[in-house]
Amino acid sequence: MAGDLFVWRPLLLPLVFTWSIALVLAHEHHGADLTEEQLHAPVDTILWIHIALQAIVWGFIFPVGMVLGLTRSRWHVPVQSLAFALTFGGIFLGHAHGGRQFPSSIHSHIGSWILVPILAQLGLGIYLKLHIHERTLRPYAVRAHGILGRIWPILGWVQGLFGVITLRGFCGEVGAGQCAAHYIMGSGFIAYGVIMALLLVVGDNWVRRSGRSPEWWDSWVIMLWGIVNTFTEHHGGEWSVKDMQHTILGILWWAGGALGIFLSRNNHRNVVPGVIIILTGWAMSDHAQALMLSTKVHSMFGYSLMFAGFARIFEVCFIPLPSSSLSETPPVDDNDSEHTLAPSAPKDAGVATKPNVARAFRHLPPFLLVASGLLFMSATDEELNAVHEEGMDHVTYVLSMYSIAFLFYLLTVFLLHLYSTSGRNASSTQHPSVVFSTEGIELSDTTDASKWYAPLPREEGRSAAVHVLGEDEDD
């Protein structure tokens, strides 16, 4: 009897949480019946605690727990358990605050629906810890748990963004279209930068196994996004200058993306994605705006994109990535893992130890993309009108966004570092000369480098432009 109680006792936790959540869902969200006094009341302490708590949980603790799960660290369960407990407390505080009240919003609706993946992930984690149904249900539970865990940062980003919109009262009926354009595209640039950093630091071997150069993936994303933008920026009636500019940018992206895909054949690298980023930055730097503050912010956004494009071209042409000796065999069966199906690193994998200072340059393009995305997200008319009314100049505002970009990129590289130094990957840090660099945290050696990872060759009689465009003497 005592043994049965020990096995089933963990299941009491989700039951208690479910009962608490039922009380939360029973709380009625405010609608159009709010008074002006309630809408403009000061934000009380409980709401500030809710904001701070959820920002820490979803912006830091959950991502750290996700990474620890991917590396099968023994700290995964304690960290995620703390995050679940804190986020449930934050949800309760979000409904229990006084002071300023808010109309029903997307943030409040997502706050209710987000409980579904939270409880599903919690239930799957407890089920996997029981180690039952090893050959029937467990393999599917492992996959479901891994998929849910990987979307946690996206859920946190979306819900946090709508939380800021709700708090500031932005993006109403008038500004919804502009908000959607700025926030979606800005988030896209940030995601581009994060993925680039991911491939740079720990994803090199996955790129190799895919048989495609990084620019092949970039070009597909650019082309598909350009197709969407070509047909969604004009909504009938007379064509405005902005409509024409945004539409031609869409055409530029799908046309250039198609060229980039073609030039990426046979595993070749090319500079087309960098050129498209430069042209987009130039267009944004000269984008006409109503306020001088808005013009200055858009200009800095454009300059940041242009620098990112030039840095990417330089990286493609002159900065080699480390070679790899990781096994090319398919992933092993991982049904015994509670958290991931990813294969473990081979025990005999070597670690490159020779420092290469030039590789520090490779962090510049992803950081500038992150900074560009944050600048674009912060450049809506409503936001900049509020900044203008506060008397803030464009220098202070731009530097504030760059400060946030530094912190965001710090979190990104910290998580990548944690992935490479925790759990099953901890052994890769035992070499005495390993440091946190693109070499030091890659399980790699110096042999068998892929041809598209080599810097621009200096053979006599070979045109640099031909090599950059991905042509080969054998073609």
Side-chain angles (χ1 to χ4, degrees):
M1 182 58 130
D4 292 340
L5 180 61
F6 177 79
V7 171
W8 293 105
R9 186 174 58 182
L11 299 180
L12 296 177
L13 184 61
L15 293 177
V16 173
F17 281 139
T18 302
W19 175 76
S20 302
I21 290 165
L23 294 180
V24 171
L25 293 178
H27 173 85
E28 293 184 2
H29 293 285
H30 297 291
D33 57 342
L34 296 174
T35 65
E36 287 296 319
E37 182 179 357
Q38 289 176 311
L39 290 172
H40 297 92
V43 176
D44 71 338
T45 303
I46 292 179
L47 184 56
W48 283 123
I49 295 175
H50 160 79
I51 294 171
L53 188 62
Q54 297 294 59
I56 293 171
V57 171
W58 288 90
F60 183 75
I61 302 180
F62 268 136
V64 167
M66 177 195 70
V67 171
L68 293 176
L70 292 173
T71 62
R72 304 179 200 165
S73 170
R74 61 190 178 91
W75 291 102
H76 169 69
V77 173
V79 170
Q80 293 297 70
S81 298
L82 173 64
F84 279 123
L86 292 178
T87 198
F88 283 124
I91 291 172
F92 175 78
L93 293 177
H95 291 80
H97 70 87
R100 184 182 303 175
Q101 302 298 315
F102 302 91
S104 180
S105 64
I106 297 177
H107 178 71
S108 62
H109 291 305
I110 293 179
S112 299
W113 283 105
I114 207 171
L115 296 173
V116 175
I118 287 177
L119 289 178
Q121 186 74 338
L122 180 60
L124 284 169
I126 295 173
Y127 170 78
L128 292 173
K129 275 298 179 183
L130 296 177
H131 288 276
I132 57 178
H133 310 130
E134 297 284 349
R135 297 185 179 277
T136 54
L137 298 179
R138 182 179 176 79
Y140 299 100
V142 169
R143 287 181 169 85
H145 189 71
I147 292 172
L148 282 175
R150 285 168 173 82
I151 68 172
W152 237 237
I154 300 175
L155 289 175
W157 176 262
V158 172
Q159 179 66 337
L161 183 59
F162 280 117
V164 173
I165 292 172
T166 300
L167 178 66
R168 298 302 304 272
F170 292 152
C171 305
E173 294 182 3
V174 176
Q178 189 186 57
C179 281
H182 277 251
Y183 292 159
I184 293 174
M185 184 176 291
S187 297
F189 282 125
I190 293 172
Y192 188 5
V194 170
I195 293 172
M196 188 183 295
L198 176 65
L199 296 178
L200 154 74
V201 178
V202 295
D204 176 48
N205 295 289
W206 179 88
V207 174
R208 293 175 188 277
R209 286 194 298 269
S210 73
R212 304 289 187 179
S213 68
E215 289 71 44
W216 188 86
W217 301 99
D218 292 1
S219 298
W220 268 105
V221 172
I222 291 171
M223 186 183 74
L224 294 175
W225 187 252
I227 292 173
V228 172
N229 262 41
T230 299
F231 300 102
T232 58
E233 292 300 326
H234 178 64
H235 305 286
E238 295 292 329
W239 281 78
S240 66
V241 174
K242 287 188 176 182
D243 286 348
M244 289 187 285
Q245 287 182 347
H246 285 292
T247 301
I248 196 61
L249 278 175
I251 296 174
L252 173 78
W253 291 338
W254 66 253
L259 174 62
I261 293 171
F262 180 77
L263 293 179
S264 297
R265 72 195 190 282
N266 300 326
N267 232 9
H268 287 162
R269 305 199 72 177
N270 67 84
V271 299
V272 171
V275 172
I276 294 175
I277 293 173
I278 293 171
L279 291 175
T280 303
W282 169 75
M284 291 294 102
S285 68
D286 202 26
H287 209 38
Q289 303 294 323
L291 286 176
M292 179 58 67
L293 173 65
S294 181
T295 300
K296 294 288 187 180
V297 173
H298 275 80
S299 295
M300 192 59 194
F301 159 64
Y303 297 150
S304 298
L305 266 187
M306 292 171 70
F307 284 131
F310 282 119
R312 183 66 193 280
I313 291 176
F314 188 89
E315 184 266 325
V316 168
C317 297
F318 301 106
I319 307 295
L321 289 179
S323 59
S324 173
S325 63
L326 288 184
S327 173
E328 298 296 328
T329 58
V332 297
D333 187 18
D334 196 29
N335 290 339
D336 291 332
S337 167
E338 290 95 358
H339 314 300
T340 178
L341 291 173
S344 301
K347 294 181 180 180
D348 59 346
V351 179
T353 59
K354 182 180 178 181
N356 186 347
V357 178
R359 299 191 180 192
F361 179 87
R362 195 172 287 109
H363 285 285
L364 185 58
F367 167 72
L368 288 173
L369 285 170
V370 169
S372 300
L374 287 170
L375 279 171
F376 195 59
M377 292 178 69
S378 67
T380 65
D381 288 343
E382 290 177 300
E383 290 173 290
L384 294 178
N385 282 330
V387 172
H388 178 70
E389 291 174 0
E390 291 291 331
M392 185 184 297
D393 69 326
H394 70 280
V395 175
T396 304
Y397 190 63
V398 168
L399 292 181
S400 299
M401 293 302 107
Y402 259 88
S403 299
I404 297 174
F406 278 121
L407 293 175
F408 191 94
Y409 196 70
L410 170 62
L411 175 63
T412 300
V413 294
F414 168 75
L415 292 176
L416 296 178
H417 175 64
L418 182 66
Y419 175 83
S420 301
T421 57
S422 64
R424 63 182 180 179
N425 297 330
S427 60
S428 67
T429 64
Q430 293 176 359
H431 196 285
S433 61
V434 169
V435 294
F436 177 47
S437 67
T438 52
E439 286 184 317
I441 64 176
E442 276 284 355
L443 302 176
S444 61
D445 61 16
T446 57
T447 61
D448 191 27
S450 295
K451 59 183 178 182
W452 50 270
Y453 282 118
L456 189 68
R458 303 183 181 278
E459 300 109 353
E460 294 183 1
R462 180 178 175 89
S463 170
V466 170
H467 177 77
V468 168
L469 289 174
E471 299 296 334
D472 196 278
E473 292 98 333
D474 297 331
D475 287 348

